[in-house]
Amino acid sequence: MRKAMLLEVLYHRHGWWPRRRVLQAGGLALVGMAAGIPLPGAAQEALPPTPQCDGGKGHATPRQTAGPFYTPNTPQRASLLEAGTKGAPIMVTGMVLNTRCEPLAGALLDFWQANADGVYDNEGYTMRGHQFTDAKGQYRLETVRPGLYPGRTRHIHVNVQAPHGQVLTTQLYFPKEAGNTQDSIFDERLVVAMPPSAANPVARFDFVLPG
Ligand code: FE
């Protein structure tokens, strides 16, 4: 698995694409499906909004590389937790908006990440899953804090796509991670809002899609 980690570092830093995987998120049926996922209550409301939707100034969420470990045709699920999943639980929640700060219902979010040991499942769908925003443009991901692997700070990959829109590929980061300053593709604008300390933290991030 050390080889797999090296591949992603090489890809991120040098654009080297070692395998056949092709981004196919656009192939997922985007038919305005609403996930109907309830958002958590007070814990989420206490968080400040992320700055990405800037009052309609037209700035979309920054794009980032997908890296070599995306797998298409993921299961539809809001929780990546399975029986025996190791790691610290975390919830990532927020909205998908357009650049006019209007919520987008039925937007696709396809998440993938390393497990708590810093390992990607390149054979199956562990720590992979897609969901759609509800009628209010909200999403909610239940997962664990992704583990670290050499060359990268802690991160979650995601493809976000409005119905019939283009895919925006990016990554989410965590605040106060020692590795953030060492990671050449880390972007402060992609850091989730998160309480400084909580047993089961809720992180917040709003995605803004162009157009
Ligand atoms: Fe990665």
Side-chain angles (χ1 to χ4, degrees):
M1 196 48 67
R2 186 175 298 277
K3 179 185 176 187
M5 295 168 181
L6 179 61
L7 289 179
E8 177 156 330
V9 174
L10 284 170
Y11 179 83
H12 285 309
R13 293 192 174 162
H14 306 296
W16 183 59
W17 189 262
R19 53 171 63 207
R20 72 219 178 286
R21 297 211 189 282
V22 176
L23 185 77
Q24 292 180 350
L28 287 165
L30 298 176
V31 289
M33 297 169 64
I37 303 163
L39 286 168
Q44 186 224 338
E45 293 171 3
L47 291 170
T50 44
Q52 276 74 18
C53 202
D54 50 10
K57 294 178 183 175
H59 295 144
T61 298
R63 296 177 185 273
Q64 293 220 305
T65 174
F69 297 131
Y70 176 67
T71 298
N73 304 317
T74 57
Q76 181 176 351
R77 55 181 177 178
S79 176
L80 305 185
L81 304 179
E82 301 175 4
T85 297
K86 294 194 303 180
I90 182 174
M91 185 175 295
V92 184
T93 187
M95 303 181 73
V96 178
L97 309 154
N98 62 22
T99 49
R100 296 179 297 280
C101 300
E102 297 166 338
L104 295 174
L108 167 73
L109 301 108
D110 195 3
F111 293 99
W112 73 104
Q113 65 171 79
N115 68 12
D117 294 325
V119 176
Y120 285 92
D121 176 7
N122 294 305
E123 308 298 329
Y125 294 98
T126 306
M127 295 286 108
R128 302 174 185 274
H130 74 272
Q131 59 180 282
F132 296 88
T133 54
D134 65 15
K136 296 180 179 178
Q138 299 169 324
Y139 74 92
R140 185 187 70 174
L141 174 70
E142 289 183 355
T143 185
V144 294
R145 289 174 74 95
L148 294 169
Y149 57 91
R152 293 301 320 279
T153 191
R154 204 179 307 278
H155 63 282
I156 297 175
H157 295 269
V158 62
N159 288 327
V160 191
Q161 184 180 28
H164 312 295
Q166 292 188 334
V167 176
L168 185 143
T169 301
T170 192
Q171 302 181 32
L172 297 181
Y173 297 97
F174 294 86
K176 299 180 180 177
E177 283 287 332
N180 287 351
T181 57
Q182 311 297 318
D183 189 323
S184 60
I185 69 166
F186 167 76
D187 189 328
E188 189 75 42
R189 296 171 294 177
L190 296 169
V191 175
V192 299
M194 212 167 155
S197 63
N200 296 299
V202 177
R204 167 102 193 197
F205 192 88
D206 292 343
F207 296 95
V208 181
L209 299 181

